[in-house]
Amino acid sequence: MAPRESTPRAVLACGEVRTCLLPARQALDSRSAAQLLALRADERVLLSERPGLYARSPDTLTGVDCPLPSANGARIRAVGTVTAHAALTEGRVLQTSAHFRLPATGPDQRRPWGEYLVRPGVVEPLGRPSHEAVARGVLGGPRHGDLDVGLIADGLLTRLLRHALLDQRPPFRSRPTRLRWVALPADPGAGPSIERFTLAEEELRTVRLRVPEQVTGAGLAALCDDLALHDWLLTTVVRMLDGLRLGAGAAEDATAVVKALRPAVDHLLHLWMPRARVAGELAPLWDPLEERPGFTRQWQALVQRIRDQLTLHAIPAPHREVEAVP
């Protein structure tokens, strides 16, 4: 077999993020977070205390050899490795993420595994797929047997949720979310942009991006982790408020409101820090989300509403004087 030439430039990056509340009564400190995320013995967990406690596992690789998702029905085999990692924010919100990059073309024949392992996070097609069809296939949901990065992210999440450190007693009920993303090349000279952000299902969001060629897969994964984290925060707090009998007046209703909203203050409200860990060239991608639908505006309105309710219920109700009837 002829020696391998350099890998063609990637024309597509794809990934999926799982986000959930850590099932533990108390948030993990930095030492416990490092224990939870120690996925590899040969690499340390990255810890950061500014602007908040954040822990990130080493990358892991999963070998894949299967057809690519495709909206046009094409069955193009691809071989390579998918990169995955996990992250814990403030010891409370757990995320797992898996992603890969796809070159425009690949070899006509499968190569030895060793040649794929030296290019982590790259999945090479056997032939020339339509990257637009693959992008739409990923966002629409892979068919059975196709490459599915969501399954890899979900498998890592399942593994972590079974860790002995976790007592399976979360401080409140919540639902996990999924964020599925693709990034295609931007036009020459153009900067990064979000073409579409969609609430596809109750727990699924999809993001379609355009990015310059020099943007790395790791940088894109960090951006999408950040989007997924803040979308989960918004979704979770909205669900906390949904269905509460605000202003009903009865003492039992007031107690229920305080009980339902207090976990938001204790565990979530201090986590809102968009772009805190996003590369400088990708940080502007938050701007359109701040304009419409207005992530931070909605968050601030929710926070103010929660604080107003807790303040209101902390004020003793006035006693009404009743005249004695002779």
Side-chain angles (χ1 to χ4, degrees):
M1 183 177 292
R4 183 174 197 175
E5 299 178 358
S6 60
T7 303
R9 69 181 182 88
V11 295
L12 180 66
C14 308
E16 193 159 328
V17 187
R18 298 285 198 272
T19 306
C20 70
L21 181 70
L22 192 74
R25 192 68 183 172
Q26 298 294 327
L28 298 189
D29 58 21
S30 57
R31 182 176 179 180
S32 298
Q35 287 181 259
L36 175 71
L37 301 183
L39 302 181
R40 291 171 50 179
D42 61 334
E43 232 179 292
R44 296 178 61 183
V45 172
L46 299 177
L47 296 172
S48 171
E49 295 182 351
R50 301 289 185 274
L53 180 60
Y54 178 80
R56 187 186 184 281
S57 76
D59 286 340
T60 63
L61 297 179
T62 300
V64 295
D65 183 347
C66 53
L68 290 166
S70 181
N72 62 10
R75 301 288 286 177
I76 295 183
R77 181 182 175 191
V79 186
T81 58
V82 173
T83 301
H85 68 266
L88 188 64
T89 300
E90 289 289 356
R92 179 50 71 196
V93 182
L94 178 63
Q95 294 183 283
T96 57
S97 173
H99 61 95
F100 68 91
R101 292 175 294 135
L102 182 74
T105 61
D108 294 329
Q109 294 182 338
R110 189 186 185 285
R111 298 179 183 273
W113 265 118
E115 297 193 23
Y116 296 105
L117 292 175
V118 297
R119 292 170 174 81
V122 175
V123 174
E124 292 189 352
L126 300 185
R128 182 186 292 271
S130 163
H131 57 272
E132 175 62 35
V134 173
R136 288 190 283 116
V138 168
L139 292 182
R143 297 167 297 184
H144 179 70
D146 287 351
L147 174 55
D148 189 343
V149 288
L151 289 179
I152 296 173
D154 194 57
L156 179 55
L157 181 63
T158 299
R159 170 185 169 185
L160 292 174
L161 292 178
R162 293 172 177 167
H163 199 284
L165 279 171
L166 307 180
D167 58 20
Q168 307 302 323
R169 296 173 59 213
F172 59 92
R173 297 181 64 182
S174 64
R175 300 180 199 170
T177 58
R178 298 175 291 150
L179 184 141
R180 189 178 293 156
W181 60 270
V182 299
L184 295 100
D187 293 333
S193 62
I194 292 182
E195 286 192 340
R196 192 177 304 117
F197 181 92
T198 305
L199 302 181
E201 298 171 8
E202 188 174 1
E203 296 169 358
L204 173 66
R205 290 83 173 93
T206 62
V207 181
R208 181 182 167 105
L209 305 161
R210 291 279 180 180
V211 296
E213 181 180 344
Q214 68 271 18
V215 173
T216 65
L220 285 167
L223 167 73
C224 293
D225 286 358
D226 195 51
L227 294 177
L229 170 65
H230 291 86
D231 173 78
W232 181 86
L233 288 170
L234 266 178
T235 302
T236 301
V237 173
V238 166
R239 287 172 177 165
M240 282 183 168
L241 285 162
D242 187 33
L244 288 180
R245 297 186 60 187
L246 303 179
E252 58 271 20
D253 291 327
T255 301
V257 167
V258 172
K259 184 177 180 181
L261 296 183
R262 182 166 180 172
V265 178
D266 291 341
H267 303 285
L268 301 181
L269 298 192
H270 61 293
L271 301 185
W272 191 263
M273 297 182 188
R275 314 181 214 211
R277 293 180 175 85
V278 176
E281 74 250 24
L282 295 176
L285 289 176
W286 259 99
D287 293 340
L289 296 177
E290 297 292 24
E291 293 173 9
R292 184 181 297 178
F295 270 45
T296 296
R297 285 199 307 274
Q298 184 181 7
W299 178 258
Q300 290 171 344
L302 292 170
V303 169
Q304 190 60 52
R305 191 178 181 198
I306 288 171
R307 288 178 174 160
D308 287 346
Q309 286 296 318
L310 294 179
T311 300
L312 182 64
H313 290 298
I315 301 173
H319 297 287
R320 295 191 304 167
E321 294 185 5
V322 179
E323 291 187 11
V325 178

